[in-house]
Amino acid sequence: MALSLLPFLLLSSLFLLNQPLSTTANIHRATNFRSELISERKTSTNPPLTTKFEVTKPIKLPKTKPCSYFLLQHDFGFTYGQPPAFANYTPPSNCPSQNFTTIVLELKGKSKGIQYDRIFGVWLGGVELLRSCTAEPTPTGIDWTIKKDITRYYSLLMTNQTLAVYLGNSVDSSRTGVYDLSLTFHFYPAEVPHKSYEPKLGNSVSGYSSVADLILPISRNLPLNDGLWFQIQNSIDKQSKMFNIPQNAYRAVLEVYVSFHESDEFWYTNFPNEYIAANNLTNTPGNGAFREVVVSLDGMTVGAVWPFTVIYTGGFSPLLWSPITGIGSFNLPSYDIEITPFLGKILDGKSHEFAFSVTNALNVWYIDANLHVWLDKKSVKTEGQLLRLNSLPPVVTPESNFTDLNGKFLISASRSISSTGWVRSSHGKITTNSIQSLNYSNIIVVGSDGDLTTVNQIINFNDSVYAMLPSSSTYSIRSFKRFPLSLYFRYVDQGNGFNSFVTNITLGFNEEKVKDADIGVLASSLKNLQDGHVVSVAKGNLQVSRLWSTKQAYQYDGTEFCYFRNVTSTNDTILYDKEGNTCSKKI
Ligand SMILES: *[C@@H]1O[C@H](CO)[C@@H](O)[C@H](O)[C@H]1NC(C)=O
Ligand SMILES: *[C@@H]1O[C@H](CO)[C@@H](O)[C@H](O)[C@H]1NC(C)=O
Ligand SMILES: *[C@@H]1O[C@H](CO)[C@@H](O)[C@H](O)[C@H]1NC(C)=O
Ligand SMILES: *[C@@H]1O[C@H](CO)[C@@H](O)[C@H](O)[C@H]1NC(C)=O
Ligand SMILES: *[C@@H]1O[C@H](CO)[C@@H](O)[C@H](O)[C@H]1NC(C)=O
Ligand SMILES: *[C@@H]1O[C@H](CO)[C@@H](O)[C@H](O)[C@H]1NC(C)=O
Ligand SMILES: *[C@@H]1O[C@H](CO)[C@@H](O)[C@H](O)[C@H]1NC(C)=O
Ligand SMILES: *[C@@H]1O[C@H](CO)[C@@H](O)[C@H](O)[C@H]1NC(C)=O
Ligand SMILES: *[C@@H]1O[C@H](CO)[C@@H](O)[C@H](O)[C@H]1NC(C)=O
């Protein structure tokens, strides 16, 4: 009974635990689970696909030949608690052109053996470029490739820096997989030479849509034997970093990277503490199912992140994520918080502090950020003032009703953060208003004395930034994100020692974006939905059969291009795969 009540623990990936203290029993089961899975794959009639992939749109590239630079190859074996792998980075020097339209990070991964999924990060000069999870290996070997558009880090990429890659792995006789990663950057010259990077959208609130002139790391300083992320271990833990910005800044955006692990890997399934206590449950992570990352600047709350529920490649059942991996698992989303309204508070040439905390957190959250700063080339000093800041704590309404193991737990939450401030630069006196508006609902139902668990969650995450000139021209960037998640776990004792376990998962990432300027509108819409099922039958501790399937529908509609892909897999074989560039609607 306890087994089915805690499917999350049993099937969790636990990939960060090296020498875990409290969850050893679960790790043991998870390890068994994996080796059985692999032996079943070996005897399958369909050879498993060795290349794992995440469904995503292609990167829009110019028609020029890229200058490509191989940066680093490293075998990550005994790397847990060790320094990251380093390489010296120098900007392209022998490339015929020095002006690039697009810069792409390409990461190739390979592994063979048995191993947990592992989180890793890539940093350039302490600025995080990629947060990612490995694919899980098999004894015959697997590989995967990630491509990420890193053009927004342009200014950083034009300077000498230290590149760092941290992937904490550990290898022993039962976990044999070493992760072999290689990293290459591709620089695509502009189609029209002698023209530096320029965004497609011109606008009258000048400078608002280009890339930043300076990117400051809000991460842990080297040297250290770990990743450069901060580790948030509980609900009162706060991690911070001092920084200085040049006094001629006129815009700033904080890009936040977030991932959740161990007791909070599946935070959206965590039960209320009173339920755990009343049923004497052990090794069951609690604090309920609501989490928010809070970002503060000199003690003021400047933004919040209600993160997308990335499920790593070992999450719930590794079968679900092979060969099609979970949304965002190879390239975790980062979240932008507009800091421009606060510039007036930090343009004094002194040091200021960004801090991160996570409401209700359990060990452990990995968080860091990059501060993108735009500089006024025509002045040495800009000035500004924060006019208004409205940020009340979230309104969280938990309801729980249970008798013994059966119960229903509801949480709804909402909050908004709005800041307004002006900055005077050679671009004029621009007033910026940034609004985050978020709401959340989560319903967990436990039935059949713990043999049935369902989770239904929705996060709505809206961000808007309005920049206004006195002449009344306005530039705006608005993003509407919606993250639905639905989980179903059912354990059935079928008699004669047989039992079955069903896992169904629906996971969606939807985002509509609109950028308005006097000159035009740039808009895009993304609908990305995954649907996965696993049925496993066991006799006692012995697996009798497992079958699984994943279905994904991806539709991106943009002003510049559209892309769709529908793909279905069963038991590691692709059954249906269709992609194209038709739009689903007129943008
Ligand atoms: C960057 O590094 C290269 C190679 O080490 C060196 O030749 C160059 O002088 C450096 N540039 C700067 C600005 O430090
Ligand atoms: C890059 O573009 C700038 C103007 O945007 C131009 O002055 C410069 O010559 C270009 N550099 C190269 C190497 O083409
Ligand atoms: C929990 O433990 C307490 C103390 O050992 C015991 O009195 C109680 O009956 C237990 N409750 C359940 C639901 O097992
Ligand atoms: C709590 O659950 C019980 C059993 O499902 C139900 O009868 C009762 O109405 C519920 N109470 C509330 C306040 O929802
Ligand atoms: C987000 O924006 C959409 C579209 O305008 C709106 O329907 C939704 O209510 C908003 N949600 C929140 C939490 O503000
Ligand atoms: C979020 O807010 C919108 C508008 O207030 C409301 O329609 C919607 O039901 C809310 N959604 C959730 C998940 O609470
Ligand atoms: C779970 O998925 C299976 C396979 O698609 C389906 O037959 C079943 O109805 C699903 N159950 C629920 C409750 O979604
Ligand atoms: C998947 O595997 C199960 C159990 O081995 C088998 O019954 C089923 O036919 C397989 N499906 C496909 C499409 O190969
Ligand atoms: C892709 O799947 C979605 C959802 O199942 C469906 O609405 C759409 O028509 C499919 N598109 C294509 C091109 O098959």
Side-chain angles (χ1 to χ4, degrees):
M1 192 181 294
L3 178 132
S4 51
L5 176 69
L6 305 170
F8 323 122
L9 270 181
L10 283 168
L11 307 179
S12 76
S13 35
L14 299 161
F15 54 81
L16 287 162
L17 306 180
N18 199 25
Q19 256 77 47
L21 299 171
S22 57
T23 46
T24 316
N26 295 312
I27 280 220
H28 186 68
R29 287 210 192 102
T31 313
N32 289 344
F33 182 74
R34 267 153 235 251
S35 24
E36 284 156 15
L37 145 71
I38 282 150
S39 60
E40 186 183 62
R41 276 187 191 160
K42 268 196 299 199
T43 56
S44 151
T45 46
N46 290 315
L49 270 189
T50 56
T51 301
K52 313 297 168 187
F53 60 95
E54 180 177 340
V55 173
T56 185
K57 66 179 189 293
I59 298 168
K60 182 117 176 86
L61 298 170
K63 291 186 195 73
T64 52
K65 188 175 171 295
C67 294
S68 299
Y69 300 89
F70 173 77
L71 292 164
L72 175 140
Q73 182 283 327
H74 195 83
D75 290 332
F76 292 87
F78 300 92
T79 48
Y80 189 88
Q82 297 296 311
F86 292 112
N88 287 326
Y89 172 83
T90 54
S93 52
N94 56 350
C95 189
S97 168
Q98 284 301 308
N99 289 330
F100 308 103
T101 307
T102 307
I103 306 171
V104 174
L105 175 159
E106 181 179 41
L107 182 132
K108 287 182 179 293
K110 279 191 294 199
S111 186
K112 202 170 165 175
I114 297 170
Q115 191 51 269
Y116 294 139
D117 48 356
R118 305 284 184 183
I119 198 82
F120 66 96
V122 176
W123 293 265
L124 188 63
V127 168
E128 184 156 356
L129 304 182
L130 173 73
R131 178 83 56 100
S132 185
C133 172
T134 61
E136 281 203 359
T138 60
T140 46
I142 56 113
D143 58 76
W144 76 100
T145 299
I146 305 167
K147 285 187 178 160
K148 178 170 180 180
D149 186 340
I150 53 167
T151 316
R152 73 179 298 195
Y153 307 102
Y154 198 106
S155 57
L156 180 74
L157 290 158
M158 295 303 129
T159 58
N160 285 356
Q161 296 290 350
T162 299
L163 182 91
V165 180
Y166 180 79
L167 186 161
N169 194 15
S170 70
V171 175
D172 58 28
S173 57
S174 60
R175 290 174 289 165
T176 55
V178 169
Y179 286 110
D180 169 348
L181 302 188
S182 1
L183 192 63
T184 305
F185 288 175
H186 304 283
F187 294 80
Y188 289 83
E191 282 175 19
V192 181
H194 310 304
K195 194 163 184 320
S196 61
Y197 174 83
E198 240 172 58
K200 309 291 182 297
L201 181 73
N203 68 80
S204 53
V205 181
S206 66
Y208 248 74
S209 57
S210 57
V211 298
D213 301 297
L214 176 70
I215 306 168
L216 298 174
I218 311 294
S219 59
R220 291 202 293 167
N221 294 329
L222 291 169
L224 43 80
N225 293 337
D226 210 330
L228 278 72
W229 40 54
F230 296 104
Q231 303 192 8
I232 309 281
Q233 299 183 333
N234 57 51
S235 59
I236 54 167
D237 197 359
K238 198 174 241 192
Q239 300 284 329
S240 65
K241 169 98 174 219
M242 303 299 290
F243 69 97
N244 276 74
I245 58 164
Q247 288 186 270
N248 62 338
Y250 69 89
R251 186 181 180 206
V253 170
L254 188 72
E255 178 193 19
V256 184
Y257 278 89
V258 169
S259 59
F260 26 82
H261 309 287
E262 299 185 35
S263 299
D264 260 356
E265 179 177 348
F266 307 108
W267 51 270
Y268 39 87
T269 67
N270 284 15
F271 296 122
N273 293 339
E274 63 267 26
Y275 173 80
I276 293 172
N279 289 293
N280 294 343
L281 302 176
T282 52
N283 294 342
T284 305
N287 282 5
F290 175 70
R291 298 290 181 276
E292 74 164 346
V293 177
V294 180
V295 179
S296 61
L297 170 60
D298 296 337
M300 294 173 283
T301 296
V302 296
V305 175
W306 293 14
F308 172 67
T309 50
V310 178
I311 302 174
Y312 309 122
T313 55
F316 299 117
S317 168
L319 298 168
L320 287 167
W321 316 116
S322 178
I324 308 171
T325 191
I327 297 173
S329 59
F330 281 177
N331 180 6
L332 273 74
S334 61
Y335 304 87
D336 285 352
I337 296 172
E338 187 74 32
I339 300 298
T340 312
F342 301 93
L343 276 181
K345 297 262 180 207
I346 56 175
L347 283 168
D348 54 7
K350 297 190 177 133
S351 289
H352 295 273
E353 181 192 63
F354 274 117
F356 308 101
S357 62
V358 182
T359 307
N360 299 332
L362 291 176
N363 197 37
V364 60
W365 287 63
Y366 288 173
I367 299 178
D368 63 18
N370 306 322
L371 185 62
H372 296 250
V373 184
W374 283 254
L375 302 175
D376 188 0
K377 278 147 200 135
K378 295 198 184 121
S379 77
V380 292
K381 198 158 177 1
T382 53
E383 56 171 337
Q385 191 186 353
L386 174 66
L387 298 172
R388 268 184 305 282
L389 170 61
N390 296 316
S391 86
L392 292 172
V395 178
V396 184
T397 323
E399 273 177 51
S400 82
N401 177 18
F402 62 89
T403 309
D404 301 330
L405 286 167
N406 297 317
K408 185 170 178 181
F409 312 103
L410 266 109
I411 304 178
S412 55
S414 64
R415 108 174 274 172
S416 77
I417 299 174
S418 168
S419 56
T420 308
W422 58 261
V423 176
R424 195 193 317 271
S425 71
S426 69
H427 297 286
K429 181 179 172 183
I430 301 176
T431 301
T432 304
N433 174 215
S434 165
I435 305 166
Q436 286 192 314
S437 170
L438 308 110
N439 73 5
Y440 159 99
S441 110
N442 179 295
I443 303 171
I444 300 178
V445 178
V446 183
S448 302
D449 294 328
D451 288 348
L452 173 67
T453 306
T454 60
V455 178
N456 280 286
Q457 177 173 292
I458 289 191
I459 294 174
N460 285 301
F461 191 156
N462 293 356
D463 288 287
S464 311
V465 176
Y466 302 91
M468 291 149 278
L469 275 173
S471 62
S472 89
S473 55
T474 301
Y475 176 61
S476 75
I477 312 170
R478 285 173 290 153
S479 153
F480 310 104
K481 293 186 273 288
R482 190 165 173 277
F483 307 144
L485 170 72
S486 152
L487 306 171
Y488 170 91
F489 305 97
R490 180 90 169 115
Y491 170 85
V492 178
D493 183 342
Q494 299 183 316
N496 295 328
F498 284 90
N499 60 69
S500 70
F501 198 91
V502 176
T503 305
N504 289 357
I505 294 188
T506 305
L507 177 66
F509 189 113
N510 304 305
E511 182 172 20
E512 309 257 332
K513 282 193 207 172
V514 188
K515 289 190 193 183
D516 291 306
D518 289 356
I519 245 164
V521 175
L522 254 189
S524 66
S525 155
L526 171 65
K527 289 192 168 58
N528 189 3
L529 191 71
Q530 278 184 322
D531 210 351
H533 309 279
V534 189
V535 181
S536 63
V537 177
K539 184 164 199 285
N541 283 330
L542 203 71
Q543 283 300 327
V544 178
S545 77
R546 279 206 174 96
L547 63 132
W548 69 97
S549 62
T550 301
K551 192 168 80 180
Q552 184 161 6
Y554 183 104
Q555 178 75 52
Y556 171 82
D557 294 334
T559 340
E560 292 178 64
F561 74 104
C562 294
Y563 175 78
F564 78 84
R565 185 167 182 185
N566 273 9
V567 53
T568 306
S569 68
T570 298
N571 300 1
D572 251 337
T573 313
I574 298 288
L575 293 186
Y576 173 89
D577 191 356
K578 196 169 170 193
E579 66 177 327
N581 52 19
T582 49
C583 304
S584 73
K585 59 180 175 189
K586 186 110 184 84
I587 282 283

